[in-house]
Amino acid sequence: MTTAIGAFCSPGRETGHQRRQTIVMKFAAKIVGTGSAFPERRMTNDDVARKLTKFGLETNDEWIRERTGISERRISDVENEPELNSSLGARAAQKALEMAGRKPEDIDQIIFATCSPDTPLPSTACWLQQKIGAHRAWGMDINAACSGFIYGVVTAEQFILSGHSKTVLVIGAEVLSHFINWQDRTTSILFGDGAGAAVVEQVAAGSRQRILASYLSSDGTLSKLLFVPAGGSALEVTPERYAQNLHKIRMSGREIFKVAVRTLTECALRSLEQAHIPAVKLDWFVPHQANLRIIEAVANRIGISMDKVIVNLDRYGNTSAATIPTALDEAIRDGRIREGQTVLTDAFGSGLTAGAMVFRR
Ligand SMILES: CC(C)(COP(=O)(O)OP(=O)(O)OC[C@H]1O[C@@H](n2cnc3c(N)ncnc32)[C@H](O)[C@@H]1OP(=O)(O)O)[C@@H](O)C(=O)NCCC(=O)NCCS
């Protein structure tokens, strides 16, 4: 039986504006558990500065903290099975399942958001499935770079709303250190490794605690602002290209900064508008953790005070698809984000992808 009416929005390609449709819905989706995991090795700004010195480059802790807000990050030892992307994801998933009171066999679907998969084939979702023993599930990866977790949860929501799945495990995890060019001082200071997870579950459409709204966008014309040129099928890694570090991240930092502030603000305002929630009514803002100055600028534009903003980039740097689920998990576990509170998440990344989501815990 149809129990409620929900508003469902999708971005219209032609204008980037949302086409608002009202669809009769039976179900809604709710985040019922979160978890996170990090590699053991800490790399402080001083450690990064020492590493860059080997390539004749200068940086220092003060500069990195002032310009980014980052003090340290975690770096995976990928020679060590427990620190592979899928293994970090599996640890985060187990914690999220525990919080949700669910078992691996309860999972219908796994969505693994990452741009640093264990292998090109198969998906990291399948490696993770094997590790956690989610026998009944089917899994796939999503590559939306740093926006991956929000893309993943919104995708999970669609499968739940359609009635296809009841319990979806969404992972946002990265071993981006694999793609760091230590001869580039603008990118080597930013990224770190880690994993976050969320269990998203079907609830009745009228439920108070649910995903309330979302807005996704991408602008492929900006792809080259942040990309890895070689290593995909378009450009093989040859010894010459390897020597030029074409298999590592290239970034136009200043341009990304400006686009990020604009897009994050736009996505946040659109999803708040769709949820009919003014920014002042929000309990928490969990933004993508790329740069503290970007976070402050966006919070200021949206009208959210910094004491409502969850920040973990000081300790972990930019962990791409993992930033939001790890920050969310930390704030839920330490009691800041409580049941019934309203949360805005907001991300941008290579693509240039972006997305925001409002939910009530
Ligand atoms: C990369 C970033 C930290 C650089 O900070 P910035 O304030 O924009 O710095 P600029 O690029 O304008 O460079 C300022 C100066 O610092 C220097 N500099 C750059 N990196 C440095 C470093 N690690 N240490 C010391 N100096 C550095 C530059 O060479 C430049 O020197 P100059 O003025 O003599 O030419 C910043 O642009 C940023 O965070 N951009 C967004 C990137 C991002 O979020 N990417 C991930 C997207 S998901």
Side-chain angles (χ1 to χ4, degrees), residues 75-154:
I75 303 290
S76 280
D77 170 10
V78 287
E79 300 297 321
N80 185 5
E81 168 83 28
E83 298 217 336
L84 293 179
N85 192 348
S86 58
S87 307
L88 295 172
R91 269 164 50 202
Q94 278 149 352
K95 291 181 189 167
L97 286 168
E98 204 178 296
M99 186 190 285
R102 297 284 174 268
K103 297 193 177 68
E105 53 269 31
D106 296 327
I107 304 168
D108 297 314
Q109 184 182 347
I110 301 166
I111 298 176
F112 200 120
T114 191
C115 56
S116 48
D118 281 9
T119 50
L121 292 175
S123 68
T124 310
C126 288
W127 292 119
L128 171 130
Q129 177 185 21
Q130 184 193 98
K131 288 177 183 173
I132 64 171
H135 313 294
R136 272 197 334 101
W138 63 275
M140 64 176 181
D141 286 5
I142 285 188
N143 179 354
C146 302
S147 311
F149 180 74
I150 294 183
Y151 273 50
V153 173
V154 174

Side-chain angles (χ1 to χ4, degrees), residues 58-59 63 67-68 146 185-186 189-191 226 251 253-254 256-257 288 290-291 293-294 318 348-349:
E58 268 182 44
T59 192
W63 194 96
R67 307 308 290 169
T68 70
C146 302
R185 65 178 179 167
T186 65
I189 58 170
L190 296 179
F191 297 103
L226 179 57
M251 181 182 81
R254 265 182 235 182
I256 286 269
F257 193 110
H288 173 45
N291 184 314
R293 290 186 296 137
I294 295 177
N318 180 348
F348 74 98

Side-chain angles (χ1 to χ4, degrees), residues 222-245:
L222 301 176
S223 293
K224 288 198 173 171
L225 288 187
L226 179 57
F227 79 126
V228 176
S233 58
L235 201 65
E236 201 183 335
V237 184
T238 59
E240 294 75 25
R241 290 173 190 147
Y242 187 90
Q244 294 167 51
N245 275 312

Side-chain angles (χ1 to χ4, degrees), residues 67-70 256-258 260-262 264-265 268 284-315 317-319 323-324 327 344-348:
R67 307 308 290 169
T68 70
I70 299 166
I256 286 269
F257 193 110
K258 285 185 232 152
V261 172
R262 179 168 45 78
L264 285 167
T265 306
W284 295 104
F285 179 37
V286 186
H288 173 45
Q289 314 278 312
N291 184 314
L292 189 59
R293 290 186 296 137
I294 295 177
I295 294 175
E296 286 167 347
V298 174
N300 183 40
R301 280 170 171 73
I302 303 170
I304 300 174
S305 61
M306 279 305 287
D307 58 354
K308 289 184 172 181
V309 182
I310 308 290
V311 173
N312 74 357
L313 97 165
D314 49 328
R315 285 154 292 138
N318 180 348
T319 56
T323 66
I324 290 178
L344 167 69
T345 61
D346 198 8
F348 74 98

Side-chain angles (χ1 to χ4, degrees), residues 1 43 48 76 83 89-90 157 179 184 208 235 261 321 360:
M1 197 185 82
M43 191 174 194
V48 174
S76 280
E83 298 217 336
E157 184 196 14
F179 293 103
D184 173 359
R208 206 180 124 70
L235 201 65
V261 172
R360 194 170 291 117

